Amino acid sequence: CTCLILLVKLLNSLLKGQVAKAIQKVINTDLPHPLSWLTGYFAMVVGAGMTFVVQSSSVFTSAITPLIGLGVISIERAYPLTLGSNIGTTTTAILAALASPGDKLASSFQIALCHFFFNISGILLWYPLPFTRLPIRMAKALGERTAKYRWFAVLYLIVCFLLLPSLIFGISMAGWRVLVGVGAPFLGLLFFVGLVNALQAHSPGRLPKWLQTWDFLPAWMHSLQPLDRVITQATLCCTDRC
């Protein structure tokens, strides 16, 4: 966190005025008209090449994240760069597999290629068609929510990377029948909420009057404001005591 804060401050002091405008114009500019659809794929090649040079996708993505925050790189351009970085990072496993003993080379290379084709399949699933670029919209929604509630980022990390995987793992230990019995209703409820949210935003007239808003639910079930008040009061109380 300290290094990231210092990096942001350094980039903020360097990338000002004409320098920032020049970099922003070069990075965010599309290719000429007949080849404009190839711009994203060219960005993937650049991201893969840069990651191959530094041998770490974490370093590359951590470097472009402050540039996005400073407005130098758009989120639409950072997305293919990140996807390319996921391809570039597979070269580390491939190089390591090539250093394996002769009797283990085939198995090592196979698992390295699994890593490579897994990331390729992710690109094919989430990039070629514009309407499949769901991670961009999700990132914007999470960014807007975090800008309003700073604590939401920490909550998101704890839930998505600790609590939810632990819960799924614990249920799976009871057998696939229990996992399906619990997961299927949860996924059905999640799909229903997503469908209602989409209809509320675009075609509220198709919904019953009581479903056109979530106001019939308790405030804590459709708003983060009650939780924000609790966290704010706890933070202020802790700060006063300190």
Short mmCIF file of all heavy atoms in Angstrom, two decimals, residues 2 4 13 15 18 35 53 59 62 66 72 77 89 97-98 137-138 199 213 222 242:
data_model
loop_
_atom_site.label_atom_id
_atom_site.label_comp_id
_atom_site.label_asym_id
_atom_site.label_seq_id
_atom_site.Cartn_x
_atom_site.Cartn_y
_atom_site.Cartn_z
N THR A 2 1.95 1.22 0.78
CA THR A 2 2.85 2.38 0.82
C THR A 2 3.49 2.62 -0.54
O THR A 2 3.53 3.76 -1.03
CB THR A 2 3.95 2.17 1.88
OG1 THR A 2 3.34 1.95 3.15
CG2 THR A 2 4.88 3.37 1.95
N LEU A 4 2.33 1.68 -3.44
CA LEU A 4 1.32 2.10 -4.39
C LEU A 4 0.97 3.58 -4.21
O LEU A 4 0.82 4.32 -5.19
CB LEU A 4 0.06 1.24 -4.22
CG LEU A 4 -1.05 1.47 -5.25
CD1 LEU A 4 -0.54 1.23 -6.66
CD2 LEU A 4 -2.24 0.57 -4.97
N SER A 13 2.63 13.65 -10.10
CA SER A 13 3.50 14.83 -10.25
C SER A 13 4.18 14.86 -11.61
O SER A 13 4.48 15.94 -12.14
CB SER A 13 4.56 14.83 -9.15
OG SER A 13 5.38 13.69 -9.24
N LEU A 15 2.98 13.16 -14.59
CA LEU A 15 2.06 13.16 -15.72
C LEU A 15 1.07 14.31 -15.59
O LEU A 15 -0.08 14.14 -15.20
CB LEU A 15 1.32 11.82 -15.79
CG LEU A 15 2.22 10.59 -15.97
CD1 LEU A 15 1.40 9.33 -15.96
CD2 LEU A 15 3.02 10.70 -17.25
N GLN A 18 0.98 18.84 -20.77
CA GLN A 18 1.13 18.32 -22.12
C GLN A 18 1.62 16.88 -22.12
O GLN A 18 1.29 16.12 -23.03
CB GLN A 18 2.11 19.21 -22.90
CG GLN A 18 1.63 20.63 -23.09
CD GLN A 18 0.31 20.69 -23.85
OE1 GLN A 18 0.09 19.93 -24.78
NE2 GLN A 18 -0.56 21.60 -23.44
N LEU A 35 -8.97 -0.80 -39.71
CA LEU A 35 -8.38 -1.72 -38.74
C LEU A 35 -8.72 -1.35 -37.30
O LEU A 35 -8.08 -1.85 -36.37
CB LEU A 35 -6.85 -1.73 -38.91
CG LEU A 35 -6.32 -2.12 -40.29
CD1 LEU A 35 -4.81 -1.98 -40.34
CD2 LEU A 35 -6.74 -3.54 -40.66
N VAL A 53 8.39 -9.21 -20.55
CA VAL A 53 9.64 -8.53 -20.23
C VAL A 53 9.87 -8.49 -18.72
O VAL A 53 10.95 -8.80 -18.22
CB VAL A 53 9.65 -7.10 -20.81
CG1 VAL A 53 10.83 -6.30 -20.28
CG2 VAL A 53 9.69 -7.15 -22.33
N VAL A 59 3.09 -6.96 -11.50
CA VAL A 59 3.84 -5.72 -11.66
C VAL A 59 3.22 -4.86 -12.76
O VAL A 59 3.04 -3.64 -12.60
CB VAL A 59 5.31 -6.02 -11.97
CG1 VAL A 59 6.06 -4.74 -12.34
CG2 VAL A 59 5.97 -6.67 -10.77
N SER A 62 -0.27 -3.56 -11.69
CA SER A 62 -0.12 -2.57 -10.62
C SER A 62 0.43 -1.25 -11.16
O SER A 62 0.17 -0.19 -10.59
CB SER A 62 0.83 -3.10 -9.54
OG SER A 62 0.29 -4.25 -8.93
N PRO A 66 -2.59 2.92 -11.37
CA PRO A 66 -2.56 4.37 -11.09
C PRO A 66 -2.78 5.22 -12.32
O PRO A 66 -3.36 6.31 -12.22
CB PRO A 66 -1.15 4.58 -10.50
CG PRO A 66 -0.70 3.24 -10.06
CD PRO A 66 -1.34 2.27 -10.99
N VAL A 72 -5.09 8.77 -17.44
CA VAL A 72 -4.19 8.66 -18.60
C VAL A 72 -4.62 7.50 -19.50
O VAL A 72 -4.57 7.60 -20.72
CB VAL A 72 -2.74 8.48 -18.13
CG1 VAL A 72 -1.80 8.27 -19.32
CG2 VAL A 72 -2.29 9.69 -17.33
N ARG A 77 -9.41 0.70 -22.56
CA ARG A 77 -8.11 0.32 -23.10
C ARG A 77 -7.32 -0.54 -22.12
O ARG A 77 -6.55 -1.41 -22.51
CB ARG A 77 -7.32 1.57 -23.46
CG ARG A 77 -5.98 1.31 -24.17
CD ARG A 77 -6.12 0.42 -25.41
NE ARG A 77 -7.25 0.72 -26.23
CZ ARG A 77 -7.29 1.68 -27.16
NH1 ARG A 77 -6.22 2.42 -27.37
NH2 ARG A 77 -8.38 1.89 -27.88
N THR A 89 1.88 -13.72 -18.79
CA THR A 89 2.33 -14.37 -17.56
C THR A 89 2.42 -15.88 -17.70
O THR A 89 3.09 -16.54 -16.88
CB THR A 89 1.40 -14.01 -16.39
OG1 THR A 89 2.03 -14.33 -15.16
CG2 THR A 89 0.08 -14.75 -16.50
N ALA A 97 8.68 -25.07 -17.42
CA ALA A 97 8.45 -26.44 -17.89
C ALA A 97 9.59 -26.91 -18.79
O ALA A 97 9.99 -28.09 -18.75
CB ALA A 97 7.13 -26.52 -18.64
N LEU A 98 10.13 -26.00 -19.59
CA LEU A 98 11.23 -26.38 -20.48
C LEU A 98 12.50 -26.73 -19.71
O LEU A 98 13.39 -27.39 -20.26
CB LEU A 98 11.51 -25.24 -21.47
CG LEU A 98 10.40 -24.94 -22.48
CD1 LEU A 98 10.76 -23.73 -23.32
CD2 LEU A 98 10.13 -26.15 -23.37
N ARG A 137 -18.20 -3.32 -17.37
CA ARG A 137 -19.36 -2.74 -16.68
C ARG A 137 -19.33 -3.06 -15.20
O ARG A 137 -19.69 -2.22 -14.36
CB ARG A 137 -20.64 -3.27 -17.32
CG ARG A 137 -20.81 -2.85 -18.78
CD ARG A 137 -22.21 -3.13 -19.28
NE ARG A 137 -22.49 -4.55 -19.38
CZ ARG A 137 -22.22 -5.29 -20.46
NH1 ARG A 137 -21.65 -4.72 -21.51
NH2 ARG A 137 -22.53 -6.57 -20.49
N MET A 138 -18.89 -4.27 -14.85
CA MET A 138 -18.80 -4.62 -13.43
C MET A 138 -17.76 -3.77 -12.72
O MET A 138 -17.97 -3.32 -11.59
CB MET A 138 -18.46 -6.11 -13.30
CG MET A 138 -19.54 -7.05 -13.77
SD MET A 138 -19.03 -8.78 -13.73
CE MET A 138 -18.76 -9.01 -11.98
N LEU A 199 -34.89 -4.81 -15.58
CA LEU A 199 -36.21 -4.32 -15.97
C LEU A 199 -36.53 -3.01 -15.27
O LEU A 199 -37.16 -2.12 -15.87
CB LEU A 199 -37.27 -5.37 -15.65
CG LEU A 199 -37.23 -6.65 -16.50
CD1 LEU A 199 -38.25 -7.67 -16.00
CD2 LEU A 199 -37.50 -6.32 -17.97
N THR A 213 -39.66 -0.80 -7.74
CA THR A 213 -38.55 -0.36 -6.87
C THR A 213 -38.39 -1.39 -5.76
O THR A 213 -39.28 -2.22 -5.54
CB THR A 213 -38.82 1.02 -6.24
OG1 THR A 213 -39.94 0.93 -5.36
CG2 THR A 213 -39.09 2.07 -7.32
N HIS A 222 -31.52 -3.29 0.48
CA HIS A 222 -31.36 -2.72 -0.86
C HIS A 222 -30.52 -1.46 -0.87
O HIS A 222 -30.44 -0.77 -1.90
CB HIS A 222 -32.74 -2.42 -1.48
CG HIS A 222 -33.54 -1.38 -0.76
ND1 HIS A 222 -33.45 -0.05 -1.05
CD2 HIS A 222 -34.43 -1.49 0.25
CE1 HIS A 222 -34.26 0.63 -0.27
NE2 HIS A 222 -34.87 -0.22 0.54
N CYS A 242 -8.64 6.95 20.04
CA CYS A 242 -7.20 6.98 19.75
C CYS A 242 -6.64 8.40 19.97
O CYS A 242 -5.51 8.54 20.42
CB CYS A 242 -6.94 6.54 18.30
SG CYS A 242 -7.31 4.78 18.01
#
